[in-house]
Amino acid sequence: MGGSNREPETMISAGIDIGTSTTKLIISRFSLMNVAGTTHVPKIEIVDKEVLYKSPIFRTPLTNPSTINVVEIEKIVRSEYAKAGIVASQIATGAVIITGETATKQNASEMLHYLSGEVGDFLVATAGPDLEGIIAAKGSGAYDYSSRSGKVIANIDIGGGTANIAVYKDKVLLGTCTLHIGGRLIEFHEGKVNSISPPVQKLLTEQNVLLHVGDNPESRNIKFVTDFMAESLGRILKNDVQEKDEVLLLGHHPNWHEKIDTLVFSGGISECMYNHEPDKGQKSNYDDIGVQLAKALQRNEALQSYSWLEPIETVRATVLGAGTQTTEISGATIQVASDELPLKNIPVYNYAFRENLQTGLENFEIAVKNAIDIYDAAREGQNFALYISELPYMGFRDIQKLAAAIIQVMEQRPDPDQPIVLILQTDHAKVLGQTLIAMQVRQSVICIDQITVEHGDYMDIGRALESGVVPVVVKTLTFHSS
């Protein structure tokens, strides 16, 4: 697809979600098209997303409670690829994410990078609790609904180990919060309590409630736990965190300020409420408090005081979001050194020129030193992407001045041989990239535009597509405020 050709190009995306309880995979096909007018700069966008294949839901294989079984995970992925009729080399983008308590397993990072290399050129998003909630809200439909309705929507994705809240209004993220609320926090085996997670054990101790391994799953003290979780969730959604709720908080307090109108529940607990999956019996196989927790949420008066919206996806919300919602497309007029791609986990440093090129250039070197201090404090050679924003109108001589300054400051990096990675807020990527090359910069240049990033984001840049654009996954790890 050339810049002015309006024939669509397609690319294959994969999403793999390895969660506390379950592992799922989804294969999608994106259609790209130039949506700009014939006399305008080409603007390639994803105009259609088609889900080609959804895997069954597998129980996440573990070697022991603290180790993911990498061999079994890889078997699942390769087997599902075969069923979907694709090979790893066809996958241009997507995300493999490790969510919930699985992310704390001792080999989680090793497995993530192994999988991203072995089963496709994945753009990898390691989902911390905030990012997991954001992705789930997009997969559940809450994100889109926040735009159509004008209401403040809280998506609450509850899986085996955590509840990840993401609050949106008109597709703007207002805040996030993560709680120790999940189905597998108490597990059963052969009709008895088999394990109690540390957060729940602490909750029981603080509340002077006794529950032991070997107790009956029908124990009223299990009901106490699930009711407490529902009540605590109700207080937290109202930003009314009490001392007794602190035991369930994982990380920061709720950080949104607007009143929530509507709740959307996604994740495995939501499946216990809505039964979207055809295999209705599988939830009972998990032998945990999931069903009881779902009932506690449904009968809780504080939660019922909100309007509820049924999600378009329940247990698959995160994997759907990972497979279809994480990818952006760069501008078509870019300059990239193809042999350097894909690049993964590049932190973004924003330098704003504030519409004044001369003043901006005077402070440029200090800014880049600051970026090095932040992202490569140990001087180990961690590269970063420089996001250049708020540039004034520039003529060719201005572009040359900027390019000369970039060449100079990039030599200050501890490993100056690394590619120079630039993201332009304006459509200057091609002219700036080509100017750098014409000035015989010795490093490779990756210079892209039409991507929305913020200071502190991490990004992955995929291989160039036929249309000359590159897929980009931006991992926003911070929250926004309205």
Side-chain angles (χ1 to χ4, degrees), residues 304-373:
Q304 287 296 337
S305 68
Y306 297 92
S307 66
W308 286 36
L309 180 73
E310 189 167 334
I312 58 173
E313 290 284 342
T314 54
V315 68
R316 298 176 191 272
T318 304
V319 73
L320 184 70
T324 63
Q325 301 286 345
T326 53
T327 299
E328 294 185 43
I329 300 296
S330 75
T333 53
I334 61 174
Q335 180 70 44
V336 295
S338 296
D339 55 348
E340 298 286 357
L341 298 177
L343 284 176
K344 298 175 182 177
N345 286 321
I346 304 292
V348 175
Y349 185 87
N350 179 18
Y351 182 63
F353 275 77
R354 304 191 186 286
E355 313 296 338
N356 188 316
L357 184 65
Q358 191 55 43
T359 305
L361 289 176
E362 288 170 4
N363 297 313
F364 201 28
E365 186 169 351
I366 295 171
V368 170
K369 283 181 178 173
N370 189 36
I372 294 168
D373 287 342

Side-chain angles (χ1 to χ4, degrees), residues 404-419:
I406 289 169
I407 291 172
Q408 182 187 340
V409 297
M410 287 299 172
E411 287 293 329
Q412 308 302 316
R413 293 176 296 170
D415 184 357
D417 292 332
Q418 291 179 316

Side-chain angles (χ1 to χ4, degrees), residues 260-407:
I260 292 167
D261 301 308
T262 301
L263 306 184
V264 178
F265 285 92
S266 62
I269 301 305
S270 161
E271 177 57 27
C272 295
M273 299 174 181
Y274 297 112
N275 295 315
H276 281 191
E277 295 297 320
D279 180 6
K280 299 291 195 299
Q282 63 184 350
K283 62 179 177 289
S284 62
N285 296 332
Y286 289 127
D287 258 354
D288 58 32
I289 59 169
V291 173
Q292 288 151 282
L293 178 58
K295 288 179 179 174
L297 296 169
Q298 287 174 304
R299 65 174 174 257
N300 182 269
E301 290 184 7
L303 297 177
Q304 287 296 337
S305 68
Y306 297 92
S307 66
W308 286 36
L309 180 73
E310 189 167 334
I312 58 173
E313 290 284 342
T314 54
V315 68
R316 298 176 191 272
T318 304
V319 73
L320 184 70
T324 63
Q325 301 286 345
T326 53
T327 299
E328 294 185 43
I329 300 296
S330 75
T333 53
I334 61 174
Q335 180 70 44
V336 295
S338 296
D339 55 348
E340 298 286 357
L341 298 177
L343 284 176
K344 298 175 182 177
N345 286 321
I346 304 292
V348 175
Y349 185 87
N350 179 18
Y351 182 63
F353 275 77
R354 304 191 186 286
E355 313 296 338
N356 188 316
L357 184 65
Q358 191 55 43
T359 305
L361 289 176
E362 288 170 4
N363 297 313
F364 201 28
E365 186 169 351
I366 295 171
V368 170
K369 283 181 178 173
N370 189 36
I372 294 168
D373 287 342
I374 292 172
Y375 296 122
D376 194 15
R379 302 299 192 262
E380 293 174 333
Q382 166 67 56
N383 204 1
F384 61 91
L386 185 61
Y387 175 44
I388 298 176
S389 63
E390 299 181 34
L391 282 169
Y393 172 81
M394 293 193 297
F396 186 63
R397 289 190 181 279
D398 295 327
I399 295 284
Q400 285 184 311
K401 279 186 189 174
L402 176 58
I406 289 169
I407 291 172

Side-chain angles (χ1 to χ4, degrees), residues 119-321:
V119 297
D121 264 342
F122 273 105
L123 305 181
V124 179
T126 310
D130 286 352
L131 183 60
E132 184 180 348
I134 291 166
I135 291 173
K138 292 181 176 178
S140 75
Y143 172 78
D144 285 335
Y145 183 72
S146 75
S147 174
R148 296 198 308 271
S149 67
K151 295 180 181 299
V152 178
I153 314 293
N155 193 78
I156 306 152
D157 189 83
I158 311 181
T162 55
N164 303 100
I165 306 170
V167 180
Y168 278 95
K169 181 180 182 182
D170 198 16
K171 295 189 173 179
V172 174
L173 183 63
L174 303 182
T176 57
C177 189
T178 301
L179 309 170
H180 290 293
I181 295 179
R184 289 192 71 185
L185 296 182
I186 299 176
E187 293 183 278
F188 310 131
H189 182 62
E190 295 183 346
K192 293 179 180 177
V193 172
N194 186 54
S195 68
I196 303 170
S197 69
V200 171
Q201 191 60 63
K202 190 175 178 187
L203 164 66
L204 293 165
T205 302
E206 288 183 5
Q207 298 296 318
N208 293 317
V209 174
L210 295 177
L211 183 68
H212 304 288
V213 170
D215 283 357
N216 189 318
E218 303 303 320
S219 163
R220 65 179 181 179
N221 289 341
I222 290 179
K223 182 174 181 299
F224 170 85
V225 170
T226 55
D227 283 346
F228 185 96
M229 288 177 172
E231 290 162 9
S232 185
L233 177 60
R235 289 188 288 271
I236 285 165
L237 288 170
K238 288 184 176 173
N239 229 324
D240 178 28
V241 181
Q242 299 179 9
E243 187 176 352
K244 60 186 176 184
D245 300 316
E246 297 278 351
V247 67
L248 294 182
L249 278 174
L250 195 167
H252 60 77
H253 279 221
N255 47 29
W256 55 87
H257 302 293
E258 295 203 32
K259 182 174 175 291
I260 292 167
D261 301 308
T262 301
L263 306 184
V264 178
F265 285 92
S266 62
I269 301 305
S270 161
E271 177 57 27
C272 295
M273 299 174 181
Y274 297 112
N275 295 315
H276 281 191
E277 295 297 320
D279 180 6
K280 299 291 195 299
Q282 63 184 350
K283 62 179 177 289
S284 62
N285 296 332
Y286 289 127
D287 258 354
D288 58 32
I289 59 169
V291 173
Q292 288 151 282
L293 178 58
K295 288 179 179 174
L297 296 169
Q298 287 174 304
R299 65 174 174 257
N300 182 269
E301 290 184 7
L303 297 177
Q304 287 296 337
S305 68
Y306 297 92
S307 66
W308 286 36
L309 180 73
E310 189 167 334
I312 58 173
E313 290 284 342
T314 54
V315 68
R316 298 176 191 272
T318 304
V319 73
L320 184 70

